[in-house]
C-alpha cells in the first residue's frame, strides 16, 4: 500500500512539477485498475491544489480532471458531491484554472449518481463566475456540453430554475462564432424549445441570440478536419427558429426582410424555414403577416430564374395553406383559409386566361401548390379555377393555347397526398366530371401530338380517382386509346397511349378485355396490317396485362402470333415474332407479384411455347422448311419469357416444371404439351449436324431449369449433366453447344457442395483438359466454351475450384488458335449474363465477386503480359480491358493507376472493341490528377489524339471525351500540350458524323479557353 502511495506521489510530482503530460494516462490506468482511488489522488494532490502559484494549482486540477474524464462512472454519490463542491469553489480561482475546472465538471455531469440539486448548483456557479465568451473555443464547447448533459439527465431540476436558466443560457451563447460550438448551442436551444422549458420574459432574447445567425452563410474551409457542413448548421438553426410559435412575431418579419436579399441561398433558406414554421404555427400566429408573406412568395415565384427558389416558394405556400386549413371554423370569426386563398386567387387567376404569356405557368404552379395542401383548399381553388380553365379551353382554337390550358388543368386534376378526400367524402372534381371528360375526349381527336399526350395524362389522373370516370366514360376512353394505337404513328403519342392504357387497365380490366383486346387481336393477325401498327399492338397488349383476367385474354393473342408465324399464314417476320416474345416476357414479369399469373404461365403459356418450338424444330429437321421459330434470334427471345415465369414459380409449380422439362429433354415425354402429335422417340440432347435441329432447343431447357429457385430439386441431375456435357463438347453448332454449356453451368452453380458435385466437376475438367491439350481436336472451341461457363458458375459462388479454372483460362491466352476467344471470354466472366447465372434467375451470386477476381488475378495478368511473345500480348490487353471495364467505378479509380502502362498499350491495340472499352475505363481516371498519370501524359496524349481519327465512330467519340476530360487537369500539367491538341482537334471538327463533330466542338472549346484570361 505504501509502495502504491509512493508511486502515486511520484506520478503527481512528475505531472505537476515536471510538466510530463504522459503521466496523466498512467495515473488514469492506476485508478482504473484499482491500484489507487480518486480519493487517494486528491490527497496526493493536496500540496498542488493549495499552492500559491496559479500554474501549479492549474496543473493539479488538470490532472484530476483528466483522470475523472475516464473514471467518472466508478464514483459514488458522496464522492461526486464533494468533487462538485470543490470544482464550484475553484471557478472563483485564477482564470488559468477555469478551463481545467470545466473539464472536470463536464466529466461529473455524465455521472449517473449525480446528487439531487447539484445540477442547479453547477449551473448557478457557471452563470455567476464564468464569462463564457471570453474563454477559448474548446472551453466554450465544454460549457455547452455541460448544459446539454444536464438537460439530458436532470431536466426537471433545470426547469425548476424557470427564466433564470434561460437567461443564463442566453448569456452563455451570446456572441458565439465557432461553427462547432454553434451546433452545440443550437442543440441546447432546441432542447429548451422542444422540451417545454418556460421561456418567461426572455422569448425575444432567446430569439435574438439565435436568429442573428439567420440565414447561415458558413462555407467550410478546404480539407476541414471537423467535417461541419453548411447544411448541418442550417437544419440545426431551423429546428430552433421554427420550433415554437412564440417566435412568430419576431421570425416572420425577419423572413420577409431576408427574402429581399439578392443572395439565392438566403432566399431558399428563408422559404424553407417558413415552410417548417407551417408545421408548428397555428393560424393565429400567421394571420397578421399573411399579406406580406404572400407578396414575398408571389414575387419570388413570378420573378426568379432559379428552380430551387421556385420550388422552395411553392413548398412554403403549401405549408402556409396547410397550416391555415387546420383552423377550426366558428360562426363569429372569418375563415382565414378562405381569406388567404381569395388573396392568392385574386393575384393569379387572371393570368390563367392568358395562355400565351409567361406568367401563366408561375400562376398555375402557385394555385396548384395551394390546392394540393389540403382537401379544404382544393375545394376552394378548384371551384374557382377549373370552370374558368374549361371555358378558356372551349373558347380557344389554337392547339398551342389549348395544350397549355390542358397541361395546367392536369395539375389540378392530379391529387396530392394531402388533397385526397377522406372516406365518405367526394372528390372535388365530381362536379366537373362531364365537362372534364368532354374536354379530354375532344383533345384526343385533335391532330396535335402534344395535345393528345397531355390528354392521356389527364385521363390517367381521372381514372386513378374513384367516381370520376363512369363506365360509359371508361369505355369511351378505351375506344379512343385503341384508335390512337391503331392509327397514330407518332412515337411520343404512342408511348403516352400505352402508358395510359396500362394504368387504366389495372382499375378497369373488363373494358379492355371487351373493347381493346379484340380489336388489337384482329389487327395483329390481319394480313393487311403493316409492321408499325402490329408493333404498337403487341406492345399495348403487354402494357394492359397486369391483371390475371386480362393476361388470360392477351397472352393467347401473342401465342397466336407465334403459331401463325410457324404456319406461315400471316407472313410474320422474325422481328415481329421477337417483338411478340418481348411482350410475353413483360407480361411474365407480373408473375413475381401474382401467384395466379405464374400458375397460368406454368399451365398454359410455357407448354404452348415449348410445343410450338418443338414442332418447328422437328419440322425443320424432317422437311427442311425453316420456321421463324427455329431462328436463333426468336429462340433467344423465347428464353427470357420462360425463365422470367419460372423464376417466380412457387415451390409446387416449380417442382412440377422441373420434372416436366427434364422428362421432355431426357426421355422425350411430350404428355404435358398441347396437341402432342409428336414422334414417339425424340432425342433433344443429341448432337446434330443441322444448325436448326432439335438440339438448339437446349436453350429452352436452360430457361426452364436454371431459373428455378435453389430449393427446387432437379430430378435425374447426374444424367442430365452428363447429357449436357456431351452435347456441349460434341455439337458442331455454336448456338447449341453454347447454350448447353450455359445450362450445365447454371445447374452446377446451384448444386449443393458435396461429393456429387465434386465428381461431376472432376469428370468434366478431365474431359475439357483432354480436348484442349489435343491441338488438332475439332472440339477445342466447344471445350473452351464449357470451361468458360463452368469457371463463371464456380466463381460466382466462391467455389475453391474456381481459381484452378481461371488459371487455365489465363494459360489459354497464349494459345495461337483460342487466344482471341479466351480474351473475349473474360468479358463473359466479368459481366452480367442476361439469360443465366444472374440473381433474377436465382443463381448463387456472392457479393463483390468481381473485386475478388480482380484482386486475385490482376498480378497474374500483368506477369503473363510481360512474359508473352509480342504477337500474343494483344490477347492479354484485351482480357485486361474486359476485366477492368466491368469493375465498379470506385474500384477502377483505386486500381487503374497501377495498370496505366498496360492500358496505354491497349490503346495501341488494333482491336476496336479493346480500344473502346479501354477508353471507357480511362475517362473517370483522367479527371483525377493522380501521380501515376503525370508521368504518362506524353504517351496518353499521343495515343488519344491518334484515335480521334479512328475508323470507328464510337472510338472517335470516346477518345474526344477523354481529351476533353484531360483539359480539367491542373493547368500547369496540360498547358504544354495545348497547341498540339488544338491542331489535332481541327480534324474531327469536319467529321462526317454529327455526334463526333459535337464532341470535338465541346473538347476544343475547353482547350481553347485553357490558360487564357477569363478561362478556367
Amino acid at each position: 500500500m505504501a509502495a502504491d502511495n509512493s508511486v502515486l506521489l511520484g506520478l503527481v510530482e512528475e505531472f505537476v512539477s515536471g510538466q510530463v503530460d504522459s503521466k496523466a494516462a498512467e495515473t488514469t490506468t492506476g485508478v482504473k485498475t484499482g491500484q489507487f482511488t480518486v480519493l487517494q489522488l486528491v490527497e496526493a494532490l493536496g500540496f498542488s491544489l493549495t499552492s500559491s502559484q496559479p500554474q501549479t494549482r492549474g496543473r493539479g486540477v488538470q490532472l484530476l480532471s483528466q483522470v475523472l474524464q475516464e473514471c467518472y462512472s466508478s464514483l459514488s454519490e458522496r464522492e461526486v458531491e464533494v468533487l462538485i463542491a470543490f470544482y464550484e469553489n475553484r471557478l472563483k480561482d485564477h482564470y488559468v484554472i477555469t478551463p481545467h475546472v470545466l473539464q472536470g465538471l463536464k466529466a461529473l455531469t455524465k455521472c449517473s449518481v449525480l446528487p439531487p440539486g447539484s445540477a442547479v448548483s453547477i449551473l448557478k456557479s457557471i452563470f455567476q463566475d464564468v464569462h463564457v465568451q471570453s474563454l477559448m473555443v474548446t472551453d466554450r464547447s465544454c460549457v455547452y456540453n455541460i448544459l446539454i448533459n444536464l438537460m439530458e439527465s436532470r431536466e426537471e431540476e433545470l426547469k425548476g430554475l424557470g427564466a433564470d436558466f434561460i437567461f443564463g443560457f442566453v448569456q452563455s451563447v451570446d456572441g458565439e462564432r465557432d461553427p462547432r460550438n454553434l451546433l452545440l448551442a443550437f442543440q441546447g436551444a432546441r432542447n429548451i424549445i422542444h422540451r417545454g422549458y418556460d421561456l418567461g420574459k426572455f422569448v425575444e432574447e432567446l430569439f435574438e441570440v439565435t436568429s442573428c445567425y439567420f440565414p447561415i452563410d458558413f462555407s467550410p474551409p478546404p480539407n476541414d478536419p471537423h467535417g461541419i457542413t453548411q447544411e448541418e448548421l442550417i437544419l440545426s438553426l431551423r429546428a430552433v427558429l421554427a420550433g415554437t410559435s412564440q417566435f412568430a412575431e419576431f421570425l416572420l418579419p425577419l423572413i420577409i426582410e431576408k427574402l429581399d436579399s439578392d443572395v439565392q441561398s438566403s432566399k431558399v433558406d428563408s422559404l424553407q424555414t417558413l415552410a417548417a414554421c407551417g408545421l408548428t404555427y397555428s393560424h393565429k400566429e400567421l394571420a397578421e403577416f399573411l399579406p406580406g408573406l404572400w407578396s414575398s412568395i408571389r414575387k419570388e415565384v413570378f420573378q426568379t430564374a432559379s428552380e430551387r427558389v421556385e420550388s422552395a416558394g411553392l413548398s412554403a405556400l403549401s405549408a402556409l395553406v396547410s397550416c391555415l386549413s387546420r383552423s377550426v371554423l366558428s360562426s363569429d370569426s372569418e375563415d382565414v383559409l378562405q381569406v388567404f386563398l381569395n388573396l392568392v386567387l385574386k393575384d393569379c387567376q387572371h393570368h390563367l386566361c392568358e395562355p400565351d404569356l409567361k406568367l401563366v405557368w408561375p400562376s398555375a404552379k402557385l394555385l396548384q401548390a395551394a390546392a394540393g395542401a389540403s382537401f379544404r383548399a382544393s375545394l376552394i381553388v378548384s371551384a374557382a379555377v377549373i370552370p374558368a380553365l374549361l371555358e378558356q379551353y372551349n373558347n380557344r382554337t389554337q392547339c398551342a393555347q389549348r395544350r397549355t390550358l390542358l397541361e395546367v388543368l392536369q395539375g389540378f386534376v392530379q391529387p396530392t397526398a394531402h388533397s385526397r378526400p377522406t372516406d365518405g367524402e367526394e372528390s372535388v372534381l365530381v362536379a366537373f366530371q362531364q365537362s372534364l371528360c368532354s374536354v379530354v375526349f375532344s383533345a384526343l381527336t385533335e391532330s396535335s401530338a402534344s395535345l393528345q399526350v397531355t390528354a392521356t395524362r389527364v385521363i390517367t389522373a381521372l381514372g386513378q380517382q374513384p367516381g370520376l370516370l363512369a363506365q360509359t366514360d371508361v369505355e369511351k376512353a378505351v375506344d379512343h386509346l385503341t384508335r390512337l394505337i391503331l392509327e397514330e404513328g407518332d412515337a411520343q403519342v404512342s408511348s403516352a397511349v400505352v402508358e395510359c392504357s396500362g394504368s387504366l387497365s389495372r382499375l378497369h380490366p373488363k373494358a379492355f378485355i371487351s373493347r381493346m383486346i379484340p380489336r388489337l387481336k384482329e389487327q395483329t393477325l390481319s394480313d393487311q396490317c403493316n409492321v408499325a401498327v402490329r408493333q404498337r399492338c403487341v406492345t399495348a397488349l403487354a402494357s394492359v396485362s397486369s391483371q390475371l383476367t386480362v393476361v388470360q385474354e392477351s397472352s393467347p393473342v401473342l401465342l397466336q402470333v407465334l403459331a401463325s408465324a410457324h404456319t406461315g399464314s400471316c407472313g410474320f417476320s422474325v422481328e415481329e415474332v421477337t417483338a411478340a416474345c418481348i411482350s410475353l416476357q413483360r407480361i411474365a414479369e407480373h408473375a413475381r407479384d401474382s401467384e395466379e399469373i405464374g400458375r397460368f404461365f406454368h399451365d398454359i403459356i410455357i407448354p404452348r411455347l415449348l410445343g410450338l418450338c418443338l414442332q418447328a424444330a422437328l419440322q425443320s429437321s424432317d422437311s427442311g422448311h425453316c420456321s421463324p421459330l427455329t431462328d436463333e434470334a426468336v429462340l433467344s427471345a423465347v428464353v427470357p419469357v420462360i425463365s422470367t415465369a419460372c423464376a417466380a414459380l412457387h415451390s409446387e409449380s416449380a417442382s412440377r416444371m422441373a420434372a416436366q422439362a427434364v422428362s421432355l429433354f431426357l426421355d422425350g415425354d411430350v404428355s404435358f404439351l398441347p396437341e402432342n402429335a409428336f414422334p414417339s422417340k425424340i432425342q433433344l440432347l443429341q448432337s446434330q449436324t443441322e444448325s436448326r435441329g432439335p438440339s438448339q432447343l437446349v436453350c429452352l431447357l436452360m430457361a426452364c431449369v436454371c431459373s428455378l429457385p435453389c430449393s427446387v430439386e432437379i430430378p435425374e441431375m447426374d444424367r442430365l449433366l452428363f447429357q449436357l456435357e456431351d452435347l456441349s463438347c460434341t455439337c458442331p453448332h455454336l448456338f447449341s453447344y453454347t447454350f448447353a454449356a450455359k445450362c450445365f453451368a447454371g445447374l452446377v452453380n446451384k448444386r449443393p457442395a458435396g461429393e456429387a458435385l465434386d465428381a461431376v466437376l472432376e469428370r468434366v475438367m478431365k474431359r475439357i483438359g483432354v480436348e484442349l491439350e489435343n491441338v488438332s481436336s475439332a472440339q477445342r472451341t466447344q471445350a473452351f466454351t464449357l470451361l468458360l461457363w463452368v469457371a463463371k458458375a464456380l466463381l460466382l459462388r466462391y467455389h475453391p475450384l474456381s481459381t484452378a479454372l481461371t488459371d487455365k483460362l489465363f494459360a489459354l491466352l497464349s494459345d495461337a488458335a483460342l487466344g482471341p476467344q479466351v480474351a473475349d471470354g473474360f468479358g463473359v466472366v466479368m459481366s452480367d449474363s442476361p439469360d443465366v447465372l444472374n440473381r433474377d434467375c436465382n443463381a448463387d451470386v456472392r457479393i463483390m465477386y468481381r473485386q475478388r477476381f480482380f484482386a486475385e488475378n490482376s498480378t497474374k495478368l500483368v506477369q503473363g503480359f510481360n512474359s508473352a511473345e509480342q504477337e500474343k500480348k494483344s490477347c492479354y490487353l484485351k482480357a485486361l480491358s474486359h476485366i477492368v471495364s466491368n469493375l465498379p467505378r470506385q474500384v477502377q479509380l483505386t486500381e487503374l493507376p497501377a495498370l496505366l502502362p498496360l492500358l496505354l498499350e491497349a490503346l495501341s491495340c488494333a482491336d476496336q472493341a479493346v480500344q473502346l472499352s479501354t477508353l471507357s475505363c480511362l475517362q473517370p481516371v483522367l479527371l483525377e490528377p493522380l501521380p501515376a498519370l503525370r508521368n504518362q501524359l506524353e504517351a496518353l496524349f499521343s495515343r488519344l489524339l491518334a484515335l480521334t481519327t479512328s475508323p470507328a465512330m464510337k472510338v472517335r467519340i470516346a477518345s474526344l471525351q477523354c481529351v476533353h476530360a484531360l483539359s480539367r487537369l491542373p493547368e500547369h500539367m496540360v498547358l504544354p500540350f495545348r497547341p498540339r491538341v488544338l491542331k489535332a482537334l481541327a480534324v474531327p471538327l469536319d467529321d462526317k458524323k454529327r455526334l463526333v463533330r459535337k464532341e470535338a466542338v465541346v473538347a476544343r472549346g475547353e482547350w481553347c479557353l485553357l490558360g487564357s484570361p477569363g478561362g478556367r
Side-chain angles (χ1 to χ4, degrees), residues 529-531 534 538 561 571-581:
C529 184
N530 64 49
V531 174
R534 196 171 273 163
V538 296
V561 171
F572 287 101
S573 66
V574 168
E575 290 75 18
E576 289 173 318
V577 178
T578 302
C581 293

Side-chain angles (χ1 to χ4, degrees), residues 671-805:
S671 59
F672 74 99
L673 301 180
E675 304 174 12
N676 54 3
F678 300 104
S680 57
K681 293 183 178 180
I682 302 175
Q683 302 291 330
L684 296 180
L685 294 183
Q686 277 192 355
S687 175
Q688 290 123 358
T689 56
E690 301 91 349
S691 63
R692 298 197 176 196
S695 66
Q696 67 178 352
L697 298 186
V698 70
C699 65
L700 305 184
L701 171 64
M702 182 201 74
C704 290
V705 298
C706 292
S707 57
L708 296 172
C710 295
S711 58
V712 176
E713 185 176 348
I714 308 296
E716 299 194 65
M717 174 71 90
D718 290 325
R719 182 181 165 206
L720 181 61
L721 287 173
F722 181 80
Q723 291 273 14
L724 289 169
E725 174 194 329
D726 193 58
L727 178 63
S728 65
C729 287
T730 59
C731 181
H733 180 30
L734 171 64
F735 185 85
S736 297
Y737 72 68
T738 300
F739 271 99
K742 286 184 178 182
C743 187
F744 185 92
L747 293 172
V748 164
N749 172 263
K750 294 182 186 178
R751 192 163 196 189
E755 293 181 2
L757 177 61
D758 294 340
V760 169
L761 293 175
E762 183 181 354
R763 183 188 73 229
V764 75
M765 289 314 302
K766 184 177 180 180
R767 182 167 188 174
I768 289 172
V770 170
E771 295 290 352
L772 291 176
E773 288 170 10
N774 184 2
V775 181
S776 60
S777 172
Q779 280 84 38
R780 289 191 83 216
T781 302
Q782 289 91 321
F784 156 69
T785 304
L786 182 58
L787 169 66
L788 178 68
W789 283 99
V790 173
K792 181 178 176 74
L794 299 182
L795 171 67
L796 293 180
R797 62 181 283 180
Y798 289 174
H799 192 280
L801 193 59
S802 64
T803 303
L805 269 63

Side-chain angles (χ1 to χ4, degrees), residues 4 165 288 320 328 492 748 868 876 962:
D4 290 343
F165 173 65
E288 179 185 348
L320 289 178
V328 179
Q492 192 178 9
V748 164
Y876 285 89
C962 287

Side-chain angles (χ1 to χ4, degrees), residues 123 127 132 147 163-174 202:
L123 288 183
F127 292 157
V132 177
L147 291 171
D164 289 345
F165 173 65
I166 308 302
F167 179 69
F169 177 84
V170 168
Q171 276 192 319
S172 299
V173 302
D174 190 12
F202 296 112

Side-chain angles (χ1 to χ4, degrees), residues 935-946:
N935 302 326
Q936 302 286 347
L937 283 177
E938 177 62 41
L940 188 59
F941 274 103
S942 299
R943 287 167 172 77
L944 288 176
L945 293 176

